[in-house]
Amino acid sequence: MSGKEYRKVKEAFQSNWIAPLGPFVNEFEHVVAGYAGVKAGAALSSGTAAIHLALKLIGVQKGEVVFCSSLTFVASANPILYEQAVPVFIDSEKDTWNMCPQALEKALIEAKRLGKKPRAVIVVHLYGQSAKMDEIVTLCEAYDVPIIEDAAESLGSTYKGRKSGSIGMFGVYSFNGNKIISTSGGGMLVSDDEEAIDRCRFLASQAREPAMHYEHEEIGHNYRMSNLLAGVGVAQMEVLDERVKEKRRIFGRYKGALSTMEGIHFMPEYQETKSNRWLTTITIDPALHICPMEIIEALEKEHIEARRVWKPLHRQPLFRDCPFYTTAPEVPESELLFQTGLCLPSGTSMTESQQERVIDMFRYFLQKNQSHNSSFPSLHL
Ligand SMILES: Cc1ncc(COP(=O)(O)O)c(C=O)c1O
């Protein structure tokens, strides 16, 4: 928190707008949509709710197919199951770690052949890095499939000067506690389609028809954000650009200190994109014979929390029967990233000396282990 949020919360209390509507909700929607450069936004209880409602607005039905990036958090795909639709996962590529356009094309061709055109494509911008949107948009236009950008991790990032989340039919942001800015929990659906966003607000408010006697014609959800939390969001938006700068400074310090170490590679920043560097993420060359879990455990002993890269969804038991498309000749790119990837502590409240300590411990561990040169443990998926 920046310290400014408390004033907004107090204001909400004083005005007694403690409800899933109120002036801060409207203001937050206005500010976020303006920042993204789109016409409208609906403040919701989570990013997951925003993905769910995007699927409903597109009209995804039971049994229909929805494509989704495989290398992501489960929340990107869970809403496909809420609608009893069928997720089809697409592999990553090396330049952005995100949806591979060639694998997407392969999946689209196959879907056409099977007569199972996807109703939507959910493209994730992992750890703040935008996917290759030009290629993905061209393909989706050719096959007439709407895009939902899962920009939960990439608020503040840009693709060719455009804000992440503003390119597809819908963009999704998350304000969960771990995100670049937070309302403790919350999300937003943004779009240039103002009518769709109006309907999103309607579906998020139990689909209550405009009648005094609580009339309902269709299934709704209780997905609106409270005015209290929206107040926090309004204040957080004031510091978003500063947070992006700080995240990038953190990334820069790690890179400056560690990129000269053999076998350590930093997540790329693709040409004409700017990442918010939500998490500083690296890969460790298997030739070093050190797996990410060993580093995580060693750092944990020093009370330093590091994390694995997301386990690809096509390898999750939950999605075991779902199709997966890759163009990799051997191991899919998303699996390689999972096997070798590591997210370093990246919180903006971390001090420089705390980060120095992380760097020192990381270096120490790597050097110590390189001399031991243990064999690369087999992967347990
Ligand atoms: C890629 C991605 N998509 C969706 C979500 C879901 O957002 P929320 O936690 O606000 O539901 C998250 C984070 O939690 C995420 O990292």
Side-chain angles (χ1 to χ4, degrees):
M1 294 290 108
S2 68
K4 297 176 187 174
E5 297 78 7
Y6 182 62
R7 253 179 283 147
K8 302 282 182 194
V9 172
K10 209 167 146 194
E11 219 178 298
F13 267 90
Q14 280 166 347
S15 62
N16 214 17
W17 277 107
I18 316 293
L21 80 173
F24 284 141
V25 174
N26 303 344
E27 190 180 343
F28 190 37
E29 290 175 343
H30 185 72
V31 170
V32 174
Y35 181 89
V38 295
K39 289 193 180 142
L44 302 170
S45 53
S46 68
T48 312
I51 298 171
H52 187 196
L53 292 185
L55 293 174
K56 290 194 75 152
L57 290 166
I58 287 168
V60 174
Q61 303 289 315
K62 182 177 173 179
E64 289 185 329
V65 166
V66 175
F67 287 3
C68 183
S69 305
S70 185
L71 190 64
T72 182
F73 181 49
V74 69
S76 304
N78 263 340
I80 305 172
L81 300 184
Y82 301 165
E83 290 304 304
Q84 296 181 60
V86 181
V88 170
F89 294 107
I90 313 292
D91 199 14
S92 300
E93 44 78 17
K94 278 190 172 47
D95 297 333
T96 69
W97 298 17
N98 288 308
M99 185 178 279
C100 169
Q102 284 75 33
L104 172 64
E105 185 168 27
K106 188 173 165 184
L108 285 166
I109 291 169
E110 179 71 357
K112 193 172 176 189
R113 196 182 64 78
L114 296 171
K116 278 209 160 253
K117 179 175 133 175
R119 282 306 302 272
V121 175
I122 301 174
V123 182
V124 181
H125 306 302
L126 211 64
Y127 303 127
Q129 170 59 56
S130 297
K132 291 184 175 173
M133 288 308 287
D134 277 357
E135 290 87 335
I136 291 169
V137 167
T138 304
L139 279 167
C140 288
E141 277 175 2
Y143 285 84
D144 189 27
V145 187
I147 294 174
I148 299 168
E149 283 184 82
D150 181 347
E153 301 177 2
S154 62
L155 179 61
S157 303
T158 57
Y159 177 87
K160 296 194 174 177
R162 293 172 73 182
K163 289 278 171 18
S164 186
S166 69
I167 298 168
M169 178 180 279
F170 293 107
V172 169
Y173 299 124
S174 165
F175 309 107
N176 189 14
N178 62 2
K179 294 299 182 292
I180 190 153
I181 61 162
S182 174
T183 57
S184 80
M188 196 171 295
L189 188 70
V190 297
S191 179
D192 273 329
D193 185 341
E194 290 172 280
E195 247 176 70
I197 294 298
D198 266 347
R199 185 164 156 75
C200 174
R201 295 188 188 110
F202 164 79
L203 291 173
S205 319
Q206 306 284 22
R208 184 182 161 194
E209 300 292 334
M212 284 302 282
H213 58 267
Y214 290 88
E215 180 86 357
H216 300 275
E217 291 173 15
E218 56 186 307
I219 298 173
H221 301 269
N222 186 4
Y223 276 172
R224 278 299 251 164
M225 179 182 277
S226 88
N227 192 57
L228 268 182
L229 299 188
V232 175
V234 169
Q236 283 270 286
M237 280 303 287
E238 288 178 29
V239 294
L240 173 57
D241 286 340
E242 184 43 47
R243 292 278 191 274
V244 173
K245 280 192 196 134
E246 185 51 29
K247 290 275 191 190
R248 290 180 65 84
R249 274 196 285 270
I250 290 168
F251 182 93
R253 284 200 289 268
Y254 278 128
K255 195 166 180 190
L258 301 175
S259 62
T260 49
M261 295 189 83
E262 207 180 314
I264 302 298
H265 307 288
F266 279 74
M267 185 177 191
E269 188 169 47
Y270 190 56
Q271 61 199 35
E272 297 182 82
T273 69
K274 184 178 168 189
S275 170
N276 67 10
R277 296 297 193 192
W278 173 55
L279 293 185
T280 293
T281 308
I282 59 172
T283 55
I284 299 147
D285 199 323
L288 293 186
H289 300 292
I290 299 169
C291 82
M293 239 3 254
E294 287 178 273
I295 301 178
I296 289 171
E297 281 162 13
L299 291 176
E300 196 167 333
K301 287 197 185 117
E302 298 298 321
H303 308 288
I304 294 167
E305 189 189 25
R307 297 262 180 103
R308 300 281 303 268
V309 160
W310 301 123
K311 177 174 173 176
L313 296 185
H314 73 274
R315 299 304 302 259
Q316 294 284 1
L318 174 65
F319 300 112
R320 94 171 50 81
D321 300 324
C322 298
F324 167 67
Y325 287 87
T326 178
T327 51
E330 287 172 30
V331 185
E333 189 60 33
S334 53
E335 292 183 29
L336 283 176
L337 290 165
F338 171 60
Q339 284 174 39
T340 59
L342 183 71
C343 304
L344 294 169
S346 310
T348 48
S349 57
M350 178 170 60
T351 63
E352 263 190 74
S353 66
Q354 286 172 327
Q355 193 180 354
E356 281 305 321
R357 197 173 146 258
V358 178
I359 291 168
D360 288 346
M361 293 315 305
F362 183 90
R363 255 210 215 104
Y364 171 75
F365 178 77
L366 234 69
Q367 279 156 2
K368 193 174 93 183
N369 274 264
Q370 262 171 306
S371 48
H372 285 234
N373 224 7
S374 59
S375 65
F376 191 61
S378 59
L379 173 68
H380 300 289
L381 284 171

